[in-house]
Amino acid sequence: MDSKMRSTGILEEFLLMDDGVSGLCLFPDLRDPENESKDLMWLYKRWATIPDQTHSCNVAITDGSSRYYPDTDALITFENDVPIGVKTADCVPILVYAPDKHGIAAIHAGWKGTLGGIVDNVMDTLVEKDVDPAQLRVAFGPSISKHVYEVSRELAESFIEAGFEAYVSYPNGLIEKPHIDLQGVNMERFLRRGVKPENIKLHDGCSYSSKMDDGSMMYASHRRSGGAPARMLTCIMMLSR
């Protein structure tokens, strides 16, 4: 992973670079253990418009004139120099670029949004704007991986009933808790809507378990930290030419 240090004690990792579009993930440097207890939202909001996320499937289009989007978990813009982003700490952040209509989206997909289909709601909005799904570029940010994301049997059954049985597993045996691949489910939703597999970039890191070279944790994780306030910002912007 290509991460580098900002002077503010925040690391950055580029996720999507394509024809004047920049998408990246910003996260606290956890080599300093105190950073896991810091709420950086005041700083993140200086860099991007971030919706008031509630684990909904609601989508909003912004032109940059407002920075307040209540009960919203995905933002779309067709304007240059309007950075948009979502905060996460185990949930799945997704960045989307539509080169044919010069649009971008930032999506927050926890298990509720993943199961409820926030990706489909974003796709519906983009298609209404005549975006061609086959041309979309999709990049996932760091989230909790299928290897450690244990859930209840009831939740696993809900994913199976929704048609995502392939993304439910029992790595520790059938008598133990099932695991869900949240990235995989959201990827499948994009594929079913006509996005080309070669245009989807999954993230190989895990917010819960990935470590730095010195053994310290790399990403903010709500589950690992017991609900500490540290969050990551995954954001995207189209630059003026």
Side-chain angles (χ1 to χ4, degrees):
M1 300 173 196
D2 180 20
S3 300
K4 64 180 181 179
M5 186 72 170
R6 282 175 170 261
S7 60
T8 55
I10 292 176
L11 298 172
E12 64 182 20
E13 179 182 330
F14 283 89
L15 304 174
L16 192 157
M17 297 290 289
D18 190 338
D19 190 28
V21 174
S22 179
L24 71 160
C25 180
L26 302 171
F27 48 99
D29 182 5
L30 297 180
R31 287 174 292 189
D32 179 354
E34 291 187 1
N35 285 340
E36 200 151 43
S37 61
K38 292 181 179 178
D39 184 349
L40 297 171
M41 287 305 299
W42 66 273
L43 186 58
Y44 291 159
K45 287 180 177 180
R46 292 186 176 185
W47 289 327
T49 297
I50 306 169
D52 182 11
Q53 299 165 201
T54 57
H55 294 276
S56 71
C57 290
N58 299 329
V59 181
I61 297 178
T62 179
D63 61 5
S65 60
S66 173
R67 295 179 67 86
Y68 180 58
Y69 294 90
D71 192 26
T72 301
D73 284 78
L75 288 178
I76 296 171
T77 189
F78 296 92
E79 305 293 332
N80 288 333
D81 302 321
V82 177
I84 55 175
V86 291
K87 60 182 175 69
T88 61
D90 285 333
C91 296
V92 182
I94 310 169
L95 302 178
V96 180
Y97 173 45
D100 58 332
K101 295 299 179 181
H102 203 57
I104 52 175
I107 306 169
H108 162 253
W111 73 257
K112 291 181 180 179
T114 299
L115 182 60
I118 190 169
V119 162
D120 286 290
N121 289 353
V122 169
M123 290 298 299
D124 287 343
T125 304
L126 293 175
V127 171
E128 288 174 1
K129 298 294 184 179
D130 296 322
V131 167
D132 178 6
Q135 296 190 45
L136 287 180
R137 304 292 187 269
V138 178
F140 285 72
S143 62
I144 193 166
S145 71
K146 62 182 178 181
H147 305 294
V148 295
Y149 188 44
E150 291 184 344
V151 300
S152 68
R153 290 181 178 271
E154 291 77 13
L155 183 56
E157 284 297 324
S158 295
F159 276 86
I160 292 171
E161 292 171 3
F164 299 104
E165 182 176 2
Y167 300 98
V168 176
S169 62
Y170 291 80
N172 300 314
L174 292 176
I175 63 172
E176 299 296 332
K177 285 187 175 182
H179 289 210
I180 293 176
D181 180 0
L182 291 179
Q183 278 200 58
V185 174
N186 286 293
M187 175 193 69
E188 183 67 26
R189 287 191 181 277
F190 280 115
L191 292 173
R192 292 178 184 180
R193 296 298 298 266
V195 179
K196 294 181 178 180
E198 61 266 30
N199 290 344
I200 301 175
K201 182 182 178 183
L202 296 177
H203 197 283
D204 59 2
C206 175
S207 56
Y208 183 91
S209 61
S210 289
K211 295 183 178 180
M212 305 284 281
D213 291 340
D214 66 356
S216 59
M217 304 312 299
M218 177 170 282
Y219 301 116
S221 169
H222 181 272
R223 180 172 287 202
R224 185 193 66 240
S225 67
R231 294 291 185 271
M232 299 178 280
L233 170 65
T234 302
C235 55
I236 187 170
M237 181 174 66
M238 295 182 294
L239 307 175
S240 296
R241 302 187 182 188

